[in-house]
Every structure is written in structure tokens, then in C-alpha cells.
Amino acid sequence: MTPKEILAYCKEKDVKAIDFRFMDFPGLWQHTTIPVTQLDEDTFEDGLGFDGSSIRGWQAINESDMLIMPQPETAFLDPFTELPTLNIICNIQDPITREDYSRDPRNVARKAVNYLNSSGVADTAYFGPEAEFFIFDDVRYDQTPAGGYFHLDSIEAEWNRGRDERPNLGYKIRHKEGYFPCPPMDQTMDIRNEMMQTMIDCGLDVECQHHEVGTAGQAEIDLRFQEMVTMADQLMTYKYIVKNVAFKRGKTATFMPKPIYSDNGSGMHVHLSLWKAGEPLFAGDGYAGLSEIAIHAIGGILKHAPAILAFTNPTTNSYKRLVPGYEAPVNLAYSQRNRSAACRIPMYSQSPKAKRIEFRCPDPSCNPYLAFSALLMAAIDGIQNKTDPGEALDKDIYDLPPEEAANVPKTPGSLEAALDALEADNEFLQRGDVFTGDVIDTWLSYKRENEVDAIRLRPHPYEFCMYYDI
């Protein structure tokens, strides 16, 4: 929609409020709201002022004034507010120079797409993330200088088989057996349907929904692939809908990668394909039906994967999921159909238009604008430098002899290691001024100070189980 069409739409739908959404640096949506009477066409040109020093990872207090610039094509009616409200996603600008803000994650993604176009490699990058999440009935957690704990609960959880529920009707999902069971074993069918339908009502193109492998309400809802910036916008709308539908039903949803010990974590496998002049570039007559360009894109992704993970797996909890010997793909190899490799080539369809790469390491705690941009920049680098990913690994990697498995590179074992990899390998991200040096330095310092150190300095509850009697 254009600004004029937005104003007409507000009258048609009797909209009373306009909610402006934008992404902070770590990856949470922020918002501010105005009465619809304060919205006019000039708003889209002039923007609205706000305090950038109060947003995580952004401005110093002496440079705090910033502008929200609403993007009319992103508008959708909020399905949860009592007052009819139109949500609009925004870019961020400096009020003096009127330049797009370098630390605005959406700006980084827009620059990555512009760099793809200027490179001549392709003119469109399609992304399709498969975000997983948990729906819990109850969550409690706390951390003080003298104690810390968390407690999760779900009607589906295996650990509640013996609980007095007056009555307990059974049908508890065993660990790692949550993939595709029908109701009544699947007790979150209705809530996932409501999430799915709400997404459709908000303009998202949903492909399917299902229960995921984990006990205790693990779920997945898949969106049809979209152009990269649009998909990042839609993924934020997706997370907003999931959390609010759960909240409305008296439940709670989390995209935390590994909330439950001994069961599957929540990943976000990301499908990527490049197109030019309306034609797919990844289909060919090479391995798994891939083109040479696609093979080189895989080479770039695998080469830079340790650095990429600082954005695609950006929490300390991410590395509780990325653990050798479990389902999460820690092996920096590629394969058709093999889900134990970091890069998989899906073989469901042989259509050239369906040919794509699936990068299986990411998780849904990421900031999608930054994660998708890092992945795209690595693929471009691989194509430009004709990076050879080596031979495909079609064996069951978990059953490889130890001497052979030792030769397969692995993902970093911690957020700290991923940040070190990013610090050592970021030149490919800075091309075209996509990720500025300031963005990378700020990401490194923010993550180290606020997350790595925060965990490292605190006793863990399980340490008392292991060490209290020493």
C-alpha cells in the first residue's frame, strides 16, 4: 500500500490507532503508538522522533534523537488489540543527516539485498525459515545472588505421567516422540490451528503446521519462502502471533533454543535460493541436481559458518542445542537428504524452481535481519571466489569411525567461540558496507558483556549437585 492507500484503509476498517514496529539490535520488536488522527501522508516522509539511547545496543545519550520511518507496504491489522490498530514496520534514520541508521537490523538486510544486486550474482534472494518453538502451560524462573532456578510444565510432558490431575488422562508424549502423533496425544492442535489462521489473516503465506519431536508442546509452523527482507518482516510477525495466541489461551510460547534438558531443542532450518531475471540459479546437473553456483554458495557458507553462527545462533543457550551426537547439525558438511549435515539439499521435488540449500544450524532466537544477511553474504562470497566445499558426505555422520569423524569440521561449541570466529572472519560481511565495522564491534561487545559474561560469572544450579559436597 501507498501512504494514501493507508489513510483510505484506516477509514474503511475504522482503525483508531497506528502502531509503529521496529527491531532492536539483539532481535526484539519494539513499538510506539499514535492515534489515527495524527497520521497523514507527511508522517511517511518526516517520520516520528524517539529516544535511541533507550534501545539496546544503539545510541549514546548525547546522540539519542532518532527517527522512525514507517514503511506502508508492511501494514497489517493487529489481531490482538481491543482498539482497532494498524501495525506498520519501520526503518530508522538519523534526524540530522537523514541517513538510514547503520545499526538498524532492517537496514543491514536491505543493504545485503542491494549488495546482491550490485554484485551481478543474482537479483533476488528467497528465504524460507522453519522456526520451532515450545508451548508451555507454566514457566517460573529466577536468579538472585543467593539462588537460581527454572521450572517448566506442560500437560503433554512425559514427566507428568504420574501427576494427580483429577483425572490424569494419560496421553503424555514420550521424549523425542512428538513428531506427528494425532490428538489426543497431540494436545496443542487447536492452538496451532489458531496461530496458523491468525497468520493467514495477517497476510502470511502458511504452508503447514505440526507438532515437533520434543515432548511438552514443541511445535512448528512453516511459511512459504519470500524475498529476504519481506521474510524477516514476516518472521517477526510470526513470532508476535505465536506468543500472543498462546498468551490469550493462558499458555506461554518460547523460541528459546534449548529449554528442556534431554530432549530436542528448537531450531530454525533456513532454506535459501538465488534467482536472476526470474530464473532459479541453484538448479543444475551437478551433485543433487545443483548448479555450480549453488555448490560454490555452499562452499562460502561452510567456510564462514563459525562466524555466521554468531548471528544465526546468538545466545549462550543456542549451544546447548548444538551438541555433537544429537539431532542438531554440528558437522560442517553438505549432503542430500542427510539431516546430520549443516547444509542439506532437500530432494522432495525435482523442479528447478524448488532447488535450494537448507542451512540447518540456525535457531529462532536470532535476529532474522542479521542472520539472513550474514548467510547471504557468505553465499555471495563463496560464489564470487568459487569456493569448493569438498566432497559431499552422504553417510550417517554419527556412525563414522572416530578417525574419519575427526576430519569433519564442527560448529563452535559456545557463543564465546562463535564471537571469536566472527572477530577473526568478518571481511566478507563488510563488503558493500552491509555490516559496518561499528555494527560488528557493537555486536561483539554487547554479546560478550551482556550474555557471555553474565552466564560465566553466575553459579549454575547443577554445579551444586556436582560440587557442593567437595
Side-chain angles (χ1 to χ4, degrees), residues 12-189:
E12 176 190 346
K13 299 295 184 180
D14 196 28
V15 168
K16 300 297 186 183
I18 307 295
D19 198 62
F20 298 111
R21 303 283 173 94
F22 64 95
M23 179 68 91
D24 72 4
F25 204 48
L28 285 178
W29 247 1
Q30 309 293 321
H31 78 132
T32 184
T33 311
I34 63 171
V36 71
T37 53
Q38 297 299 310
L39 182 73
D40 56 33
E41 290 187 58
D42 290 341
T43 307
F44 295 89
E45 292 294 326
D46 300 337
L48 290 92
F50 74 102
D51 175 10
S53 69
S54 295
I55 303 299
R56 298 181 299 171
W58 278 13
Q59 294 292 81
I61 196 166
N62 59 311
E63 305 175 309
S64 59
D65 289 354
M66 306 196 78
L67 289 176
I68 294 172
M69 305 300 299
Q71 304 302 300
E73 70 278 6
T74 67
F76 66 97
L77 281 175
D78 195 301
F80 304 108
T81 54
E82 292 182 13
L83 193 69
T85 301
L86 188 70
N87 299 332
I88 305 178
I89 298 173
C90 303
N91 296 333
I92 305 300
Q93 283 188 358
D94 183 293
I96 298 175
T97 65
R98 297 308 300 263
E99 293 180 350
D100 291 327
Y101 184 44
S102 63
R103 295 188 200 172
D104 172 14
R106 195 171 192 271
N107 183 35
V108 173
R110 290 161 57 225
K111 288 192 292 182
V113 171
N114 290 339
Y115 178 72
L116 174 68
N117 278 272
S118 67
S119 72
V121 168
D123 56 32
T124 306
Y126 286 120
F127 277 72
E130 300 175 350
E132 299 169 348
F133 54 94
F134 278 89
I135 303 167
F136 293 122
D137 296 317
D138 185 61
V139 56
R140 289 175 283 124
Y141 52 89
D142 199 7
Q143 179 73 56
T144 71
Y149 76 96
F150 71 90
H151 179 80
L152 303 168
D153 211 358
S154 164
I155 191 67
E156 287 186 349
E158 182 182 57
W159 59 80
N160 283 325
R161 287 182 298 190
R163 184 172 66 177
D164 183 5
E165 295 178 348
R166 303 188 181 188
N168 186 326
L169 300 178
Y171 298 113
K172 308 301 183 187
I173 294 178
R174 289 178 286 273
H175 282 293
K176 299 183 181 294
E177 293 189 19
Y179 194 67
F180 281 23
C182 288
M185 187 70 80
D186 176 2
Q187 298 185 48
T188 55
M189 174 69 169

Side-chain angles (χ1 to χ4, degrees), residues 208-252:
C208 68
Q209 61 88 351
H210 59 85
H211 204 290
E212 254 300 338
V213 174
T215 188
Q218 192 179 31
E220 179 178 319
I221 303 174
D222 293 339
L223 302 180
R224 182 173 172 79
F225 66 89
Q226 300 288 345
E227 182 275 327
M228 191 181 89
V229 176
T230 300
M231 179 50 76
D233 290 342
Q234 291 193 357
L235 187 57
M236 294 312 300
T237 305
Y238 171 111
K239 294 176 79 170
Y240 177 70
I241 289 169
V242 165
K243 292 176 182 178
N244 279 278
V245 168
F247 190 79
K248 184 177 75 170
R249 284 175 166 257
K251 297 183 183 291
T252 177

